[in-house]
Every structure is written in structure tokens, then in C-alpha cells.
Amino acid sequence: MQEKKHPSWRQITIGTLAGINLMMLALIAGKESIAIEESVPSLAKTPEHTAERVEYGMEWVKTTTVPAHDPPAMSKGAGHWVVEQYREMEYHYDMNGRLLFKRPTNQSSYMRYFKPQ
């Protein structure tokens, strides 16, 4: 059976350098032969009532008082739970910073704390 001859390091290096040079020449030739437009006209249309700036913030909705019936609250003494509800709002402002309109999002959060008497 014949033994396979492995390429020497010199052959591998020369082959790699030749491949890299060929790829560089192909990139340079491609850059010169393909014309790329500098700007393309936009087809997107903006709505007439577009706001310049949109911000999000939480607004208080309501506060609810719940009597304390669970054991940890009873160990603290008499009192009640206070539950505050907040809703995220989306604010739209014009270029001058005037509020155009606001609308609620689907995000709500609740804050609950114990208030002793």
C-alpha cells in the first residue's frame, strides 16, 4: 500500500497566501465593477399627525383600602392594606414640546403596603 504524502508547511503557506490574494483581487474587481447608488428615494409616507417625541410615564389611577386578615398583618397590630393602581401612559409631544395627546397602554402596576392605625 502506498503512503500518502502530506503537504509541507511551505506549500500550505504559499497556498493560503495565494488564496487570500485571489480573494482580495476579487473584492477590488467587484467594488469597481458594481455601481452602488448613493441615495435611494423613500417610498414610505409619514402620517400628517406624527408627533416629534413620544414618552412613557406612569399615572395614578386609584387607591383601594383592604382590611388586613392575614396572620403577618395581624401580628403587626391593627391596620389595613393600601393598594395603589398605576397605568402606563403614552404621551405625544410636537416639535415645541406641547402635549398633542396621551393614550393608555396595556401596562398596569400595583403597589401594596401595610398602613398601621
Side-chain angles (χ1 to χ4, degrees):
M1 194 180 254
Q2 293 180 349
E3 291 184 29
K4 290 186 179 180
K5 236 181 167 183
H6 296 290
S8 68
W9 285 104
R10 183 177 176 169
Q11 291 173 334
I12 292 173
T13 305
I14 291 173
T16 303
L17 289 175
I20 290 172
N21 285 330
L22 287 173
M23 286 184 224
M24 294 293 286
L25 286 173
L27 287 173
I28 292 170
K31 180 181 176 186
E32 298 298 325
S33 64
I34 298 173
I36 299 173
E37 293 183 30
E38 296 218 7
S39 64
V40 178
S42 175
L43 300 175
K45 294 183 180 178
T46 57
E48 296 172 8
H49 63 279
T50 301
E52 287 292 317
R53 188 179 71 204
V54 177
E55 292 182 3
Y56 295 90
M58 300 299 281
E59 276 192 9
W60 174 83
V61 177
K62 67 179 179 178
T63 302
T64 307
T65 303
V66 180
H69 293 297
D70 55 340
M74 298 304 272
S75 65
K76 294 179 184 178
H80 57 275
W81 290 102
V82 177
V83 181
E84 295 180 3
Q85 179 185 0
Y86 294 90
R87 180 155 214 182
E88 184 180 50
M89 300 295 280
E90 182 178 298
Y91 302 99
H92 292 260
Y93 296 96
D94 66 0
M95 290 174 38
N96 299 324
R98 290 180 297 212
L99 179 66
L100 296 174
F101 63 93
K102 69 178 183 177
R103 73 173 143 217
T105 64
N106 292 331
Q107 300 294 323
S108 290
S109 64
Y110 298 87
M111 183 171 61
R112 181 181 88 154
Y113 55 92
F114 186 76
K115 191 169 187 180
Q117 289 188 359

